[in-house]
Amino acid sequence: MQRLVVFLILFAVWLVFSGHFDALHLALGVACSAIVAVFSSELLLPRTLSSRTAVTTWRVLRYLPWLLYQIVLANLHVVYLVWRPGQLRPQIVQFKTGLKSDLARAVLGNAITLTPGTITMDIVDDEFTVHAVSDQAARSLRSGEMARRVGHVFLEPDVLASMNIVPHP
């Protein structure tokens, strides 16, 4: 039953995002959704939903709109940089987040990379090395807002207090 629910959710997402309803695309959607459901149903939909899982799910749903907004803002900033190339100031930013779980670190690294103008180069324990294309992008990393929000999603202690921003030469 669990795999069927995960399959239906995945296939619905496939339909919404693919926008193609011909036989080939529907067959690919069914095949991909089935494969992911078979191998990942326990990860995507645990058999027992603890209160921690419910809280994390709710917090993820509140985090995603904020992340999408940040991606839009970063896109606009990159467009600005295209028209004003003199504002480009590529730099490497290193910081520690205090995030304990590998999942929280991976989500933060992916969120940074999804945001135009920044890319996560390396993660060692809780130390991130990130390339930023401008001073504004570097400042947004140094503010720790994204790390704080990811820490909040995964019920981690206040990560902002433990962040140690180190400029890279």
Side-chain angles (χ1 to χ4, degrees):
M1 183 63 164
Q2 177 186 13
R3 287 185 177 151
L4 178 62
V5 170
V6 170
F7 167 77
L8 292 173
I9 291 169
L10 290 171
F11 188 62
V13 169
W14 175 281
L15 289 174
V16 168
F17 286 121
S18 94
H20 297 285
F21 303 105
D22 58 278
L24 173 66
H25 285 94
L26 290 175
L28 288 172
V30 167
C32 290
S33 298
I35 291 169
V36 172
V38 166
F39 291 109
S40 306
S41 62
E42 188 68 31
L43 174 68
L44 298 173
L45 189 65
R47 290 189 192 273
T48 58
L49 291 176
S50 66
S51 61
R52 182 179 173 95
T53 304
V55 169
T56 300
T57 302
W58 174 248
R59 289 181 176 187
V60 165
L61 292 175
R62 289 180 44 214
Y63 166 75
L64 288 176
W66 178 85
L67 178 61
L68 291 173
Y69 177 70
Q70 296 304 308
I71 291 170
V72 169
L73 288 179
N75 271 296
L76 294 173
H77 178 64
V78 170
V79 168
Y80 170 79
L81 292 174
V82 167
W83 291 103
R84 308 260 186 203
Q87 298 294 316
L88 285 171
R89 304 271 188 279
Q91 53 196 286
I92 305 295
V93 179
Q94 291 181 312
F95 57 93
K96 290 187 178 195
T97 63
L99 293 171
K100 304 292 183 223
S101 76
D102 290 339
L103 180 59
R105 292 176 191 155
V107 167
L108 177 59
N110 284 320
I112 289 169
T113 300
L114 277 172
T115 308
T118 56
I119 186 164
T120 304
M121 296 169 47
D122 195 19
I123 303 171
V124 177
D125 295 326
D126 68 337
E127 185 173 342
F128 284 68
T129 304
V130 179
H131 180 271
V133 296
S134 67
D135 291 334
Q136 180 178 333
R139 270 193 310 275
S140 92
L141 287 169
R142 288 187 182 104
S143 76
E145 180 66 14
M146 190 174 286
R148 186 189 64 75
R149 287 181 182 261
V150 169
H152 179 74
V153 166
F154 291 100
L155 306 169
E156 300 234 357
D158 186 7
V159 296
L160 197 55
S162 65
M163 286 188 68
N164 180 16
I165 306 294
V166 179
H168 194 274

